[in-house]
Amino acid sequence: MSEAWLEELRWNADALIAVIVQDHCSAEVLMLAWMNREALSRTVELGEAVYWSRSRQRLWHKGEQSGHIQKVREIRTDCDRDTLLLRVEQIGGIACHTGRRSCFSTRHEQARWNTVEPVLRDPQDIYSS
Amino acid sequence: MSEAWLEELRWNADALIAVIVQDHCSAEVLMLAWMNREALSRTVELGEAVYWSRSRQRLWHKGEQSGHIQKVREIRTDCDRDTLLLRVEQIGGIACHTGRRSCFSTRHEQARWNTVEPVLRDPQDIYSS
């Protein structure tokens, strides 16, 4: 947890860093999440994405309930070292809790937000099984 | 500025929203930036990315100094409506102030951060011309 490479990142006032998650194959942006030092450390150890859930205030091993785990292929940081880019293999092909492939399914069109991507699997089905 | 679609987004405590910027053609993730309502409103009006610079505390028309403007092809939001995804045409092919194509040029490799992408143009050349 006190590893040098962790301290070379710029953690925000809440000791978190923003994480852009991208499909390593299609390059589609799947979601934006947050990590604390422990989440990033566990992600590296496990080879699977572990985030800090700001709403639940706990570590969140992505896919722990849905099975939609993210296998980590690459971790990058940016020139300011205050953001991460995670390239992942999205197991099950669904990153979003709405049952869509990506969380970015809503497009700005003529001063409105229109959801343009299909639900691939019913969330009730995802989270009850 | 009081347009309904702007208020359908979830602005953070600083009245900002995170913006993932992606090359619309290559799908490469170029940078993470921030917008306030005015920046987003101007981005839509202008068709070019305008951010809120947290370091300079002012609106920042990306490329105003470097010429590396971002023409907006699509704006999306996510399922929580607290993040934007901007798909852009990156004029000059350089998004990063270091003269690299993307800000995400540094890779995690065996507990170290290694910068793996080339400088395409000397920053001194970019910002003095």
Side-chain angles (χ1 to χ4, degrees), chain B residues 23 50 97 111:
Chain B
D23 187 292
V50 177
H97 76 286

Side-chain angles (χ1 to χ4, degrees), chain A residues 74-75 77 106-108 113, chain B residues 5 74-75 77 106-108:
Chain A
E74 191 179 66
I75 302 174
T77 189
T106 299
R107 193 156 62 192
H108 184 259
W113 294 108
Chain B
W5 65 273
E74 192 179 65
I75 302 174
T77 189
T106 300
R107 193 156 61 193
H108 185 259

Side-chain angles (χ1 to χ4, degrees), chain B:
Chain B
M1 292 294 295
S2 60
E3 291 162 280
W5 65 273
L6 277 173
E7 299 312 321
E8 286 169 28
L9 297 172
R10 281 174 54 201
W11 303 89
N12 75 8
D14 296 322
L16 300 176
I17 195 165
V19 185
I20 301 168
V21 188
Q22 184 180 34
D23 187 292
H24 87 102
C25 195
S26 69
E28 192 173 357
V29 175
L30 300 176
M31 54 192 277
L32 183 83
W34 294 82
M35 287 184 183
N36 60 10
R37 287 171 175 81
E38 191 181 354
L40 179 53
S41 194
R42 288 210 193 177
T43 294
V44 169
E45 277 166 34
L46 204 60
E48 297 177 0
V50 177
Y51 303 112
W52 177 255
S53 167
R54 294 179 304 167
S55 55
R56 289 171 285 175
Q57 289 284 302
R58 68 166 180 86
L59 289 178
W60 162 41
H61 181 188
K62 168 75 180 162
E64 61 195 3
Q65 232 193 311
S66 63
H68 297 154
I69 279 167
Q70 295 175 333
K71 299 270 186 190
V72 176
R73 296 302 190 94
E74 192 179 65
I75 302 174
R76 290 192 175 216
T77 189
D78 67 346
C79 49
D80 293 329
R81 303 216 174 181
D82 67 355
T83 309
L84 297 177
L85 176 63
L86 222 63
R87 290 190 173 140
V88 304
E89 179 188 348
Q90 177 61 65
I91 303 301
I94 293 175
C96 186
H97 76 286
T98 63
R100 293 181 176 86
R101 176 152 181 75
S102 157
C103 292
F104 292 95
S105 299
T106 300
R107 193 156 61 193
H108 185 259
E109 294 170 330
Q110 297 173 317
R112 293 187 65 167
W113 295 108
N114 295 322
T115 299
V116 293
E117 302 295 344
V119 171
L120 301 180
R121 198 172 156 206
D122 186 331
Q124 286 203 318
D125 179 37
I126 296 174
Y127 293 99
S128 66
S129 55

Side-chain angles (χ1 to χ4, degrees), chain A residues 50-62:
Chain A
V50 178
Y51 303 111
W52 176 255
S53 168
R54 293 179 305 167
S55 56
R56 289 172 284 176
Q57 289 284 302
R58 68 166 179 86
L59 289 179
W60 162 41
H61 181 188
K62 168 75 181 161

